[in-house]
């Protein structure tokens, strides 16, 4: 072990000699010796001893106090004074000089050794402490943290200048009260910060750490992370707590941006599929709690978007998508959600609707808005879309199911030529496998004529007697029993099988009508529903006339029903067809009126004989309700157009009474009779 080097500053040569001898005896090395203050400082600087033994009253311009202080602060070398007097002045002088102690002469070697060892030890401890403090201070400075130190006994907090600066204050603008901190915390975070602090002070959590918002002097909030640790007494009670506060606003904003990007579409900024499904799921939960609180989901797909993309380029395609996104947003209320699912597919959550009519109105609004032309590249174009609508229903438990059904309805709208909407019904959701099987079974059913025709009387409100019968098909399925039209009509339509089926119904119904006419009911007509395929068929009129002559039924004994949406699809074709049928003597009825948005001007031109008010209007007839006036308006309008009116879906006495009070011509519905087989009907009619 190397010997510690001691420097001696003493002007009395005899004392200096005595001290040097004593040091050597004690095992130290005498590094040097000086008499004056100035020389002492110079030599100490050059020699760097471990300790300086110094006479308190040194000669020269620089006295001992001054020299000792300089040596201590500039070179970090401890000084021990040598004095002859043990009085108060000596003590005060030593303190002023930052000396480590005073040795009184005469001294013995043991005493000298003891004092030097203690001084060297204290000095090295102080240095370590200082270094660690400096290290900590440096780290804090580098981290740019604000420091706080809370005296839990006096309930005062020291806030570092940086802490205050972070919040936009000068050092003298913030005091020591805990309120300086707590009252600036965002109201929404107050409770959690307090709870976390208390948990740590009580010793429940190993440390305090929390991210929250705190108000800046300029009124804005910044995000900070505050960490702290309590100091505890031997019983574990916290008496002090200190920590650091760092500004994490930038990180939080980046996180928020990332979170936003994860659930939004980059091109349009709309919510993406993930966010849409999440919102939809929440909406489903809301309706579960209150089943009368309805909403609708729309699936929208642009028509011929691929053509735009392929012919005008992707940039133009993107531009169109952004335009569509903006237009969709403008068609909806803030609480609705418009989302881009991908490609040219959009989904819309219409937050609140009263019924399907509301959803249809939204779809019409969108249709109108999209049709406004846009300049694409340098071509003016109108955009159209196919839309599928699903109304909420307690049956739906997952967002995915709803979206799938809206998609199926959209697909139907697309198959029907696009630029329109379709409301989902059960026949639309059918798996590919089921579809193939159903097609096979339908073909077989056509061959074996597995059909039953049910008839539902249409009753005159003037006479109370049936004036006509609507023919409604049923499929006597060998395994699945009797199937309603919604289970198979659409597939029959899509596959073209509706043509032979339709012909079968026409023939059977005409044969039946002829029988009725021959058995005492010469006025009775039979009403047959015509599907879109049949409607487009060129030979329909020919076929009708052929079947009439084949069955011997007078033309007045047959009526055809065409739904409003079908009639509106190709107005001039409808006009021609109805006129051709009329020329044969066959009257037509406009079916499901109110669901297809005919404009009055068209209605005037159509030579329909009758109009059937859709059952959704009849169902809504309740005392004092708005729909009553809707039905009233339809009746008034029909009357001005000299159309006969049939109300379908009459189920209650109230509905019947109401319709009677409006002098509605005819009614049809479960209240009077459900659709039943002909022989049952014959028994009923007597
Ligand atoms: P639609 O032409 O509007 O037929 C009326 C539907 O309302 C029938 O359903 C009938 O059973 C039902 N209905 C009658 N009274 C009431 C009532 O009081 N309340 C309620 N809720 N419903 C009532 P169905 O037989 O299931 O037929 C459904 C649809 O299938 C028909 O609507 C029609 O569009 C189509 N359809 C039925 N038979 C044929 C057919 O032979 N050929 C074609 N192309 N379509 C058919
Ligand atoms: Mg009908
Ligand atoms: Mg109908």
């Amino acid at each position: 072990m190397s010997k510690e080097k001691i420097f001696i500053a003493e002007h009395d040569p005899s004392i200096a000699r005595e001290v040097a001898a004593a040091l050597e005896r004690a095992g130290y090395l005498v590094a040097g010796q000086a008499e004056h203050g100035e020389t002492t400082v110079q030599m100490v600087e050059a020699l760097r001893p471990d300790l300086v033994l110094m006479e308190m009253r040194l000669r020269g311009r620089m006295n001992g106090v001054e020299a000792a202080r300089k040596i201590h602060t500039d070179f970090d070398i401890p000084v021990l004074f040598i004095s002859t007097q043990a009085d108060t002045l000596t003590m005060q002088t030593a303190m002023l000089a930052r000396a480590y102690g005073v040795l009184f002469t005469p001294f013995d070697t043991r005493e000298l050794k003891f004092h030097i060892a203690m001084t060297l030890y204290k000095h090295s401890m102080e240095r370590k402490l200082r270094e660690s403090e400096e290290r900590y201070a440096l780290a804090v400075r580098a981290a740019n943290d604000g420091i706080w130190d809370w005296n839990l006994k006096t309930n005062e907090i020291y806030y570092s200048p940086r802490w205050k600066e972070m919040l936009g204050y000068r050092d003298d603008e913030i005091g020591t009260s805990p309120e300086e901190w707590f009252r600036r915390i965002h109201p929404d975070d107050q409770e959690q910060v307090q709870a976390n602090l208390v948990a740590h002070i009580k010793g429940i959590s190993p440390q305090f750490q929390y991210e929250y918002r705190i108000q800046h002097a300029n009124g804005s909030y910044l995000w900070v992370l505050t960490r702290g640790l309590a100091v505890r007494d031997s019983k574990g009670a916290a008496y002090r707590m200190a920590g650091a506060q760092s500004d994490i606003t930038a990180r939080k904003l980046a996180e928020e941006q990332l979170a936003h990007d994860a659930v939004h579409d980059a091109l349009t900024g709309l919510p993406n599929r993930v966010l849409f499904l999440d919102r939809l799921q929440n909406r489903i939960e809301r309706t579960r709690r209150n089943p009368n609180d309805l909403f609708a989901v729309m699936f929208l797909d642009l028509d011929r978007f691929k053509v735009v993309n392929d012919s005008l380029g992707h940039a133009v395609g993107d531009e169109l998508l952004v335009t569509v996104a903006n237009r969709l947003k403008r068609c909806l209320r803030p609480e609705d959600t418009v989302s881009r699912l991908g490609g040219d597919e959009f989904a819309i959550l219409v937050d609140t609707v009263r019924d399907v009519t509301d959803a249809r109105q939204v779809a019409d609004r969108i249709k109108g808005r999209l049709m406004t032309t846009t300049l694409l590249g340098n071509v003016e174009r109108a955009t159209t879309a196919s839309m599928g609508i699903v109304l909420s229903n307690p049956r739906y438990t997952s967002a995915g199911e709803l979206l799938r059904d809206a998609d199926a309805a959209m697909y139907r709208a697309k198959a029907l030529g696009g630029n329109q909407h379709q409301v989902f019904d059960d026949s639309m959701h059918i798996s590919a496998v089921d579809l193939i099987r159903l097609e096979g079974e339908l073909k077989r059913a056509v061959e074996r004529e597995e059909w039953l025709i049910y008839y539902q009387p249409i009753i005159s409100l003037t006479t109370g007697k049936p004036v006509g019968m609507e023919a409604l098909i049923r499929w006597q399925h060998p395994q699945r029993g009797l199937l309603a039209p919604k289970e198979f009509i659409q597939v029959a339509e899509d596959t073209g099988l509706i043509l032979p089926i339709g012909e079968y119904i026409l023939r059977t119904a005409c044969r039946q009508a002829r029988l009725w006419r021959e058995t005492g009911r010469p006025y009775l007509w039979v009403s047959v529903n015509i599907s879109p395929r049949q409607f487009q068929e060129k030979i329909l009129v020919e076929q009708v006339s052929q079947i009439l002559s084949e069955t011997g039924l007078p033309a007045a004994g047959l009526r055809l029903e065409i739904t409003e949406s079908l009639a509106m699809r190709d107005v001039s074709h409808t006009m021609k067809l109805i006129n051709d049928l009329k020329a044969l003597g066959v009257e037509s009825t406009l079916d499901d009126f109110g669901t297809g948005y005919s404009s009055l001007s068209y209605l005037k031109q159509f030579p329909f004989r009758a109009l059937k008010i859709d059952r959704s209007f009849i169902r809504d007839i309740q005392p004092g309700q708005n729909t009553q006036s809707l039905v009233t308006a339809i009746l008034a309008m029909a009357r001005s157009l000299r159309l006969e009116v049939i109300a379908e879906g009459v189920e209650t006495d109230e509905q019947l009474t109401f319709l009677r009070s409006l002098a509605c011509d005819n009614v049809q519905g479960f209240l009077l009779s459900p659709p039943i087989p002909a022989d049952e009907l014959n028994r009923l009619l007597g």
Side-chain angles (χ1 to χ4, degrees), residues 498-522:
I498 193 70
L499 295 175
I501 298 172
E503 193 180 339
Y504 175 89
I505 303 161
L506 259 177
R507 186 169 286 118
T508 313
C510 287
R511 206 174 281 146
Q512 183 58 55
R514 176 157 173 234
L515 271 174
W516 279 323
R517 289 203 157 225
E518 283 176 349
T519 55
R521 277 170 240 282

Side-chain angles (χ1 to χ4, degrees), residues 537-548 581 584:
E537 199 59 8
K538 292 207 174 55
I539 57 156
L540 180 65
V541 181
E542 210 176 294
Q543 194 180 60
V544 167
S545 111
Q546 150 84 40
I547 287 172
L548 286 176
L581 287 167
L584 275 185

Side-chain angles (χ1 to χ4, degrees), residues 470 529 561 563 590-593 612-615 648 668:
E470 180 174 8
N529 293 286
E561 294 193 8
T563 63
L590 188 63
D591 201 358
D592 298 347
F593 181 79
K612 238 188 208 187
I613 305 178
D614 189 67
R615 59 179 169 279
E648 71 174 343
Q668 178 184 356

Side-chain angles (χ1 to χ4, degrees), residues 456 470-474 484-486 489 498 505 528-531 534 561 563 591-592 612 615 648-651 668-671 673 675:
Q456 186 176 33
E470 180 174 8
L472 295 158
I473 192 170
R474 302 289 180 265
K486 68 168 192 205
I489 281 284
I498 193 70
I505 303 161
V528 175
N529 293 286
I530 297 298
S531 86
Q534 290 174 285
E561 294 193 8
T563 63
D591 201 358
D592 298 347
K612 238 188 208 187
R615 59 179 169 279
E648 71 174 343
V650 178
E651 293 181 353
Q668 178 184 356
F670 293 163
L671 180 70
S673 165

Side-chain angles (χ1 to χ4, degrees), residues 228-461:
L229 263 185
V231 187
R232 298 172 199 282
D233 62 20
S234 55
K235 292 195 199 82
Y239 59 89
R240 176 181 174 186
M241 187 169 165
Q245 162 183 289
S246 28
D247 185 346
I248 54 166
T249 310
R251 192 194 88 204
K252 278 281 177 188
L253 291 182
E255 277 173 9
E256 275 166 19
Q257 185 66 43
L258 269 178
H260 177 272
D261 290 352
V263 294
H264 286 81
D265 168 44
L267 178 65
T268 59
L270 293 178
N272 66 12
R273 182 185 291 265
V274 176
L275 183 55
F276 182 79
L277 288 174
D278 185 59
R279 293 211 182 142
L280 183 52
Q281 196 63 48
N282 287 335
R283 189 62 188 80
I284 292 172
E285 305 303 326
R286 211 173 93 200
T287 290
R288 209 199 300 265
R289 289 191 296 274
N290 179 8
N292 294 325
D293 184 8
L294 299 179
F295 63 93
V297 172
M298 281 170 57
F299 197 110
L300 184 148
D301 186 288
L302 299 182
D303 296 330
R304 290 170 296 278
F305 178 71
K306 211 177 122 44
V307 181
V308 173
N309 237 6
D310 292 351
S311 60
L312 301 175
H314 287 278
V316 176
D318 283 357
E319 200 184 309
L320 177 62
L321 291 172
V322 173
T323 306
V324 168
N326 291 332
R327 286 185 183 175
L328 288 178
K329 271 190 281 187
R330 261 178 274 135
C331 288
L332 296 155
R333 285 164 303 190
E335 60 270 30
D336 300 334
T337 300
V338 188
S339 142
R340 181 173 171 228
L341 301 177
D344 61 339
E345 289 179 348
F346 295 85
I348 297 162
L349 168 59
V350 187
D351 191 73
T352 319
V353 294
R354 279 164 305 175
D355 51 30
V356 76
T357 315
D358 281 353
R360 285 179 185 277
Q361 266 162 15
V362 175
D364 281 339
R365 204 154 64 220
I366 290 172
K367 180 174 161 180
R369 180 79 74 152
L370 290 183
M371 294 271 267
T372 328
T373 54
T374 356
L375 195 63
L376 283 180
N378 40 22
V379 194
E380 284 253 339
R381 257 176 201 259
T383 311
T384 66
S386 303
M387 289 172 266
I389 299 175
V390 190
L391 204 63
S392 58
N393 173 324
R395 219 181 46 214
Y396 290 113
T397 52
S398 86
E401 290 168 47
L402 266 158
L403 198 60
R404 182 201 58 204
D405 287 354
D407 187 11
M410 182 283 293
Y411 191 76
R412 175 65 41 79
K414 189 138 284 198
L416 292 172
N419 196 23
Q420 61 179 285
H421 69 259
Q422 287 290 315
V423 177
F424 177 79
D425 74 70
D426 285 331
S427 70
M428 292 177 185
H429 92 227
I430 188 163
S431 75
V433 178
D434 288 346
L435 194 68
I436 291 165
R437 177 158 17 104
L438 189 58
E439 267 184 52
E441 289 174 349
L442 264 178
K443 274 190 200 130
R444 187 202 56 205
V446 170
E447 278 163 26
R448 301 192 194 164
E449 298 191 334
E450 294 170 353
W451 319 117
L452 283 179
I453 309 297
Y454 277 31
Y455 297 91
Q456 186 176 33
I458 295 165
I459 314 275
S460 154
L461 277 183

